[in-house]
Amino acid sequence: MKRILPLLAILIVNINAYSQKDSLSSNSHPERNKEIARNFYQDLWFTDNTDNYIDYVAEEYVVHDIGERKGVTEPAIEQKIIADRFWDNGTWDSKINYQIAEGDLVATRWEATYKPSTFVGKIMFDAGTIPIINVFRFNDEGKIVEIWNHRHDIDTPQTMKFTITGLLIGLLIALIPTIIAFRLKRKLKALQK
């Protein structure tokens, strides 16, 4: 009996230890998703194979961008349209720095080096390198269903639009008291006559 009791205790502990399930979903494929993300960049942003967007993006996906575009649902073709707009106005020489994957998420830090060849390209994105971090969420079929896009826009002409907007608002605010002052000055001159 003394030998059976420890044996039963060991069996019970082993049964409990092996009956636990992995906390990660069996549907998560981090390495597969990292490869899909790398191929997405290779086709759409590093080479001009934008027709391959359908291989990577679900029919509809949700985008979280900097600025006002947060939680917007877009059709997959939008990725092709965006990439084509850049390719039509310049060329890319970009590289992936590193990727991190966990579950159905892949974070990619890459450097986008864009060389504009048209006036529109120069307005959209001045020559230079901009660091970008994208986070993709994949579905079970290996398609991108959600994109978080974080660019370091401070290094681009994008910030100039905020500077110009602020300047115009400031001028407008300064113009209002100036107009009031001129009107009051006219009234004062009229009263002095």
Side-chain angles (χ1 to χ4, degrees):
M1 186 69 166
K2 288 183 181 181
R3 289 183 181 178
I4 293 176
L5 209 49
L7 185 59
L8 281 174
I10 291 172
L11 284 174
I12 290 171
V13 169
N14 283 337
I15 289 171
N16 284 336
Y18 288 105
S19 69
Q20 300 294 319
K21 283 192 172 182
D22 187 5
S23 63
L24 293 177
S25 164
S26 62
N27 294 333
S28 68
H29 305 285
E31 291 305 316
R32 176 202 69 179
N33 293 345
K34 281 170 60 174
E35 183 178 353
I36 294 168
R38 278 191 304 272
N39 292 337
F40 170 83
Y41 290 110
Q42 185 62 38
D43 278 347
L44 271 70
W45 301 106
F46 300 171
T47 58
D48 190 1
N49 297 324
T50 60
D51 289 332
N52 292 344
Y53 75 95
I54 200 69
D55 295 341
Y56 307 106
V57 185
E59 287 184 30
E60 286 190 338
Y61 66 95
V62 178
V63 65
H64 308 276
D65 211 336
I66 59 172
E68 297 172 6
R69 282 185 69 218
K70 294 193 182 354
V72 177
T73 301
E74 296 179 336
I77 190 73
E78 192 64 28
Q79 283 297 308
K80 176 182 174 29
I81 292 168
I82 294 167
D84 282 342
R85 189 175 307 136
F86 279 101
W87 280 108
D88 290 345
N89 293 291
T91 59
W92 290 98
D93 180 23
S94 304
K95 66 178 181 177
I96 291 176
N97 299 115
Y98 58 85
Q99 288 184 302
I100 301 169
E102 181 177 308
D104 61 353
L105 297 173
V106 174
T108 305
R109 202 277 192 180
W110 61 292
E111 292 176 2
T113 303
Y114 187 68
K115 296 174 185 139
S117 60
T118 65
F119 179 71
V120 173
K122 290 178 183 179
I123 291 172
M124 280 182 6
F125 196 91
D126 197 13
T129 299
I130 182 171
I132 300 173
I133 297 174
N134 295 129
V135 179
F136 297 154
R137 184 169 60 85
F138 289 87
N139 63 15
D140 292 340
E141 290 81 40
K143 299 280 186 162
I144 299 168
V145 293
E146 201 161 4
I147 299 174
W148 289 266
N149 187 23
H150 304 282
R151 298 178 309 271
H152 196 250
D153 281 354
I154 194 99
D155 295 335
T156 70
Q158 295 265 349
T159 55
M160 199 56 148
K161 71 180 177 184
F162 299 114
T163 304
I164 291 171
T165 302
L167 178 65
L168 292 175
I169 291 171
L171 289 174
L172 180 63
I173 291 170
L175 190 60
I176 293 170
T178 304
I179 292 170
I180 293 170
F182 280 124
R183 285 187 176 180
L184 290 175
K185 185 178 177 183
R186 278 190 218 153
K187 285 182 183 180
L188 189 59
K189 280 186 179 181
L191 288 174
Q192 288 178 350
K193 289 183 182 179

